[in-house]
């Protein structure tokens, strides 16, 4: 199983989580403060970190930012509330998933296994995707349309890349909000609509006259080569 580092200051919760995850087969270490946990993460290179946001010495989001500067280790945030504004900041800062207290060791184990599956799948991710005359360089974060480079913002690129990895598939706005905007409890569909409009403009199309991006009313959006869409 995985080597898991738990950064949690609560002396009641921390040993319970350690025991529960060990019973699930994981190797577990822990730290009661953000800075101690950060040092352990750098020194021991765990497979995954479970990070509490409410730490006594450094805010959990700051710990995540410092960790992301030196490591791509998967991080699951432990939050007291699903609507905690800090949770949005943590997801935007690079957290991979979150759990809301109280949660069981079995629930956390399921999240850990799911995150590690996504990480492993990401390692097998292609470096580039071609859909018709549209080429998306995932590694270099560059896009070419019919041989001409298209200048996209980071969010526009992430949106296009997410769709390009699912060619011909109708992707819901809910899925886009979760996977691209990292808003797990939802957000405004208008956010997706506006970015799709900008993306279409840069690809030389409109919602009324689509080429690559087709809206399926009431469902979501599909990316497909012009001669494949219908």
């Amino acid at each position: 199983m995985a080597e898991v580092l738990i950064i949690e200051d609560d002396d009641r919760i921390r040993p319970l989580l350690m025991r529960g995850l060990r019973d699930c087969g994981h190797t577990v270490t822990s730290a009661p403060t953000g800075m101690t946990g950060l040092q352990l993460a750098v020194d021991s290179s765990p497979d995954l970190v479970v990070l509490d946001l409410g730490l006594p010495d450094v805010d959990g989001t700051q710990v995540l930012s410092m960790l992301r500067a030196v490591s791509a280790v998967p991080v699951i945030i432990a939050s007291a509330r699903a609507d905690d504004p800090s949770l949005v900041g943590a997801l935007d800062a690079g957290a991979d998933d979150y759990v809301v207290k109280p949660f069981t060791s079995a629930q956390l184990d399921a999240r850990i296994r799911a995150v590690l599956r996504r990480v492993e799948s990401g390692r097998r991710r292609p470096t580039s995707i071609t859909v018709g005359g549209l080429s998306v360089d995932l590694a270099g974060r560059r896009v070419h349309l019919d041989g001409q480079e298209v200048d996209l913002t980071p969010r526009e690129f992430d949106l296009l890349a997410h769709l390009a990895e699912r060619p011909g598939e109708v992707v819901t706005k809910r899925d886009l909000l979760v996977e691209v905007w990292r808003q797990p409890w939802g957000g405004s569909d208008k956010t997706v609509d506006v970015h799709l409009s900008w993306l279409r403009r840069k690809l030389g199309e409109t919602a009324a006259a689509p080429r690559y991006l087709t809206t399926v009313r009431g469902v979501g959006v599909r990316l497909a080569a012009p001669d494949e869409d219908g």
Side-chain angles (χ1 to χ4, degrees):
M1 298 297 281
E3 294 185 12
V4 180
L5 169 62
I6 298 173
I7 306 177
E8 166 66 64
D9 67 308
D10 193 314
D11 292 333
R12 298 165 299 171
I13 295 175
R14 191 172 63 254
L16 290 175
L17 289 179
M18 292 181 68
R19 188 179 310 120
L21 291 182
R22 282 171 178 159
D23 288 344
C24 292
H26 300 292
T27 300
V28 187
T29 55
S30 72
T33 66
M35 294 310 294
T36 302
L38 184 63
Q39 190 63 56
L40 270 175
V42 172
D43 291 343
S44 62
S45 299
D47 296 316
L48 182 140
V49 174
V50 178
L51 174 62
D52 180 36
L53 289 180
L55 296 169
D57 57 337
V58 184
D59 180 78
T61 305
Q62 291 179 278
V63 174
L64 176 61
S65 296
M66 289 187 282
L67 181 59
R68 277 289 168 262
V70 295
S71 173
V73 61
V75 175
I76 296 177
I77 295 295
S79 175
R81 304 196 327 267
D83 61 351
D84 186 348
S86 298
L87 184 54
V88 177
L91 290 168
D92 282 340
D96 297 270
D97 203 349
Y98 74 101
V99 288
V100 177
K101 299 177 182 179
F103 53 84
T104 66
S105 297
Q107 290 169 333
L108 180 57
D109 174 55
R111 293 295 183 104
I112 288 171
R113 287 184 283 109
V115 167
L116 292 177
R117 282 196 301 270
R118 291 202 300 269
V119 169
E120 182 59 30
S121 176
R123 288 176 180 148
R124 299 192 297 269
R125 187 188 195 197
T127 57
S128 65
I129 299 171
T130 299
V131 181
L134 183 65
S135 175
V136 182
D137 179 356
L138 299 173
R141 295 183 65 85
R142 300 174 70 183
V143 173
H144 289 80
L145 177 61
D146 298 329
Q148 298 296 313
E149 185 160 7
V150 181
D151 185 23
L152 300 181
T153 67
R155 186 73 77 186
E156 289 165 353
F157 179 87
D158 291 340
L159 174 57
L160 181 61
H162 187 79
L163 294 170
E165 289 180 305
R166 297 154 181 80
E169 177 183 334
V170 179
V171 181
T172 67
K173 292 178 183 179
R174 166 66 179 169
D175 179 75
L176 292 172
L177 285 167
V178 171
E179 298 297 332
V180 179
W181 275 266
R182 298 298 185 96
Q183 295 184 14
W185 51 89
S188 172
D189 285 358
K190 286 292 185 185
T191 299
V192 178
D193 291 337
V194 168
H195 282 78
L196 281 172
S197 176
W198 292 340
L199 185 55
R200 282 189 172 107
R201 188 179 309 146
K202 292 183 178 181
L203 296 180
E205 60 184 78
T206 66
R211 291 186 65 222
Y212 287 91
L213 297 169
T214 302
T215 296
V216 179
R217 188 176 297 276
V219 183
V221 62
R222 175 179 60 239
L223 184 144
D227 59 350
E228 295 174 2
D229 197 16

